[in-house]
């Protein structure tokens, strides 16, 4: 068993509920030292995951809270160790004093991610599941939360283990024939494994195809709002984020620098950048703002071209459309539909940031633009560069093994590539992961998780 750790799992904020978490040798003894049940046996003698009502007190015996306690014994707990939780009212002061009482009872402060790290080290989670914990915490959209929850439930683990097991069968058969030549073992014929290698390659290829979706789930989409001064960019930004993030006035050129904010539209997180109006600058400050607008449009994955729909198209509007045409993805918006409708652009979304009319059409356009062409099973979307790189390396090894097989190489050459793929997949799930990689993964976590 590991040493006893404790932490406030819900952070140092005012809330209705606050949780103190314990894990390690002596967890049951420590919870008894600070918690007295209202009636019946001590918490340490109760059944696993049974909630017990009682009194939380400090080392001097002073009552801190009336709360609930629960225990889970090894190995049937989140970390695989003896664990306990105190579910209190969310007073930061009471929680801190309760934590201090646990320190007096022999616990130490848990480090960031140490509970989940112990779960990984004790075989309760693989690395894809551990990473799913932090992905779930930081999920900004329903799709991101659903994918993370499915990964936490083992969806990615099962997909990778299926491929790993198939490769392990090939390796095991080869080594059995080599190591036990006198045994009655079926001869090792590489051609018989071509189908397994092809299926493994197809499975990993489909994961890589969905990796761009994973980037969108994790980071969102960089989206630049561009247009002429007073076209309605800042009003649209405010309407999308739900509060007055950008200053709006009737005076053209109010926005002189980029303004950034995030919003979820059509189930997609957009990292919106409101930019200075595109026109010949009147002074040096505005000129720099216009330059930043063009740079933001060049970097953006989505450009929303904002055109004043209450006016006929002019040269400034045409310039906006020209810049948007160079973007990887673009949507044209005709604003101020509550005033008048004079501009006409094929396929454009007409809306009013004042009344909200047409915002649903913009949302639908974003959802359609980022819809998956081939739906991916829940939990089978790679969500970070480490995962994507590991799968890509494994696929490279498998393809090299298939090429060696097709070219008639000796079995040991094919097996070298196959075992290289197994090693890469081991890095993904944590079978063979280096300690420095593990450290970087858990550095992302909060204390108490």
């Amino acid at each position: 068993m590991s040493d006893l750790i404790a932490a406030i799992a819900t952070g140092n904020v005012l809330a209705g509920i606050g949780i103190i978490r314990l894990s390690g040798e002596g967890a049951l003894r420590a919870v008894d030292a600070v918690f007295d049940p209202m009636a019946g046996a001590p918490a340490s003698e109760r059944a696993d995951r049974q909630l017990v009502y009682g009194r939380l007190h400090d080392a001097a015996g002073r009552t801190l809270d009336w709360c609930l306690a629960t225990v889970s014994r090894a190995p049937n707990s989140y970390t695989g160790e003896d664990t306990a939780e105190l579910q209190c009212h969310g007073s930061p002061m009471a929680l801190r004093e309760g934590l201090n009482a646990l320190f007096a009872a022999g616990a130490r402060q848990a480090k960031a991610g140490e509970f989940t790290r112990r779960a990984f080290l004790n075989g309760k989670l693989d690395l894809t599941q551990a990473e799913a914990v932090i992905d779930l915490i930081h999920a900004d959209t329903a799709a991101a939360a659903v994918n993370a929850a499915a990964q936490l439930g083992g969806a990615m683990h099962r997909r990778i283990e299926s491929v790993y097991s198939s490769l392990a069968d090939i390796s095991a058969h080869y080594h059995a024939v080599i190591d036990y030549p006198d045994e009655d073992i079926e001869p090792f014929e590489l051609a018989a494994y071509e189908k397994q290698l092809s299926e493994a390659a197809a499975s990993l290829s489909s994961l890589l195809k969905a990796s761009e979706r994973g980037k969108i789930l994790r980071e969102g989409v960089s989206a630049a709002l561009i247009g002429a001064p007073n076209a309605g960019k800042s009003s649209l930004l405010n309407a999308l984020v739900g509060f007055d993030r950008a200053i709006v006035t009737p005076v053209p050129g109010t926005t002189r620098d980029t303004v950034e904010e995030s919003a979820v539209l059509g189930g997609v997180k957009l990292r919106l950048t409101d930019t200075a109006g595109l026109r010949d600058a009147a002074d040096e400050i505005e000129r720099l703002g216009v330059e930043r607008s063009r740079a933001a449009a060049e970097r953006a994955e989505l450009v929303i071209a904002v055109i004043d729909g209450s006016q006929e198209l002019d040269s400034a509007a045409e310039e906006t459309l020209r810049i948007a045409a160079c973007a990887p993805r673009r949507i044209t918006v005709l604003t101020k539909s509550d005033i008048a409708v004079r501009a006409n652009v094929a396929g454009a979304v007409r809306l009013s940031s004042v009344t909200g009319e047409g915002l649903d059409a913009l949302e639908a356009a974003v959802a359609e633009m980022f819809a998956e062409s081939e739906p991916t099973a829940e939990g089978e979307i790679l969500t970070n560069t480490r995962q994507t790189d590991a799968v890509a390396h494994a696929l490279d090894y498998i393809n090299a093994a298939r090429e060696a097989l097709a070219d008639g190489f000796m079995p040991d050459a094919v097996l070298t590539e196959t075992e290289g793929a197994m090693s890469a997949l081991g890095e993904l799930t944590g079978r063979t992961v280096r300690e420095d990689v593990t450290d970087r993964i858990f550095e992302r976590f909060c204390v108490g998780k």
Side-chain angles (χ1 to χ4, degrees), residues 147 150 155 159 210 372 374-381:
N147 187 71
R159 176 75 171 267
E372 298 174 76
E374 298 179 8
T376 304
E378 291 175 359
E380 295 189 359
I381 298 177

Side-chain angles (χ1 to χ4, degrees), residues 24 39 74 121 143 150 155 171 195 235 237 257 291 299 390 419:
L121 294 175
S171 180
K195 181 180 179 182
S235 294
L237 174 72
D257 201 351
E291 287 180 1
R299 294 191 305 267
E419 290 175 352

